[in-house]
Amino acid sequence: MFHFLFTQPLFNILVVFLNLFHDLGFSIIAITLLIRVILYPFFYKAAKNNLVMQKIQPHIQNINEKHKDHPENKSLALLALYKDNQINPLSSLLIIIVQLPILIALYSVFHVGITPDSLKDVYSFITTPTIINNLFLNRVDLLLPNLLIIVLAGLFQFIFGLVSLPKNTNPKDPQYLIAKRMLYFTPILTVAVLWKIPSALGLYWLTSSLVSLLQQLYINRKLYGSN
């Protein structure tokens, strides 16, 4: 069922791009851009919620202090506060949940690559590529790990985390402290994950991180202003 709902459709979209570009690397970049455009509303909603959460932190702290001995009352008060400000505190978790099946499906696709066996999954209305080329720019074998792609993916993940840090926030605020730790942990995790897997997935990760960075810069400008 997972293969039918996620892996096969993504594989066929990749084949369509491969027929257009005749380069697996550019095809991966294209499918990454398509996915990011589709998921942009989720990212924007999550970023907007984070901004509102920062603004209402004093109210949250007051509620925590006022109802510290009454957990049920605290929960009800927090829910009312979230409702009044039209936010969902779980929106950041939602974007992870939405991306997870896509990432798993893409790993399955890139782990195998474009091979005669995998081409059996091509839909009948899509042209099957006559030339199978797993190279990017005729140089990088995307079925093998690539150090440059791994390093760049980790670097852009770090820069993305940097521009995603909460603005105008108390350095001792728990939300800020968690984000600060993730700023260093996520790039390390990125490098560790990509170290021994096909660089096709690394190229997806790199492109996704770069697009996330550009989207976050746009969202920051839109929500925070030019400052």
Side-chain angles (χ1 to χ4, degrees), residues 123-182:
Y123 297 138
S124 59
F125 55 86
I126 294 178
T127 303
T128 301
T130 56
I131 299 177
I132 301 174
N133 181 10
N134 291 313
L135 298 180
F136 179 34
L137 299 175
N138 289 321
R139 290 181 178 273
V140 180
D141 188 344
L142 294 175
L143 297 186
L144 299 174
N146 182 273
L147 181 60
L148 179 60
I149 290 177
I150 293 171
V151 171
L152 288 176
L155 176 62
F156 279 110
Q157 191 69 52
F158 174 78
I159 297 173
F160 168 66
L162 196 62
V163 301
S164 302
L165 281 176
K167 312 296 181 184
N168 305 321
T169 301
N170 185 341
K172 296 183 179 180
D173 181 78
Q175 184 181 3
Y176 178 83
L177 291 175
I178 293 174
K180 195 71 179 290
R181 293 190 186 100
M182 293 302 293

Side-chain angles (χ1 to χ4, degrees), residues 27-96:
S27 302
I28 291 172
I29 293 172
I31 196 173
T32 306
L33 294 176
L34 177 62
I35 291 172
R36 298 299 302 195
V37 168
I38 294 173
L39 295 181
Y40 175 75
F42 294 96
F43 282 96
Y44 181 80
K45 182 67 174 177
K48 186 175 181 180
N49 278 357
N50 287 338
L51 172 61
V52 178
M53 286 287 288
Q54 294 169 40
K55 290 182 177 180
I56 65 174
Q57 275 302 311
H59 299 289
I60 293 176
Q61 292 173 3
N62 289 337
I63 290 173
N64 289 335
E65 183 64 27
K66 181 178 179 181
H67 300 290
K68 61 181 179 180
D69 297 324
H70 303 281
E72 292 184 2
N73 292 340
K74 183 174 71 173
S75 297
L76 291 173
L78 287 174
L79 288 175
L81 179 64
Y82 296 151
K83 184 177 180 181
D84 290 341
N85 288 273
Q86 299 181 338
I87 61 172
N88 179 2
L90 299 179
S91 61
S92 297
L93 180 61
L94 177 62
I95 190 61
I96 296 175

Side-chain angles (χ1 to χ4, degrees), residues 28 32 103-104 106-108 110-111 140-158 185-210:
I28 291 172
T32 306
L103 192 61
I104 294 173
L106 287 173
Y107 174 79
S108 178
F110 297 151
H111 182 70
V140 180
D141 188 344
L142 294 175
L143 297 186
L144 299 174
N146 182 273
L147 181 60
L148 179 60
I149 290 177
I150 293 171
V151 171
L152 288 176
L155 176 62
F156 279 110
Q157 191 69 52
F158 174 78
F185 174 75
T186 305
I188 294 174
L189 179 63
T190 297
V191 172
V193 169
L194 298 179
W195 193 256
K196 289 188 177 182
I197 63 176
S199 56
L201 192 64
L203 182 59
Y204 166 79
W205 204 310
L206 168 59
T207 306
S208 184
S209 297
L210 180 56

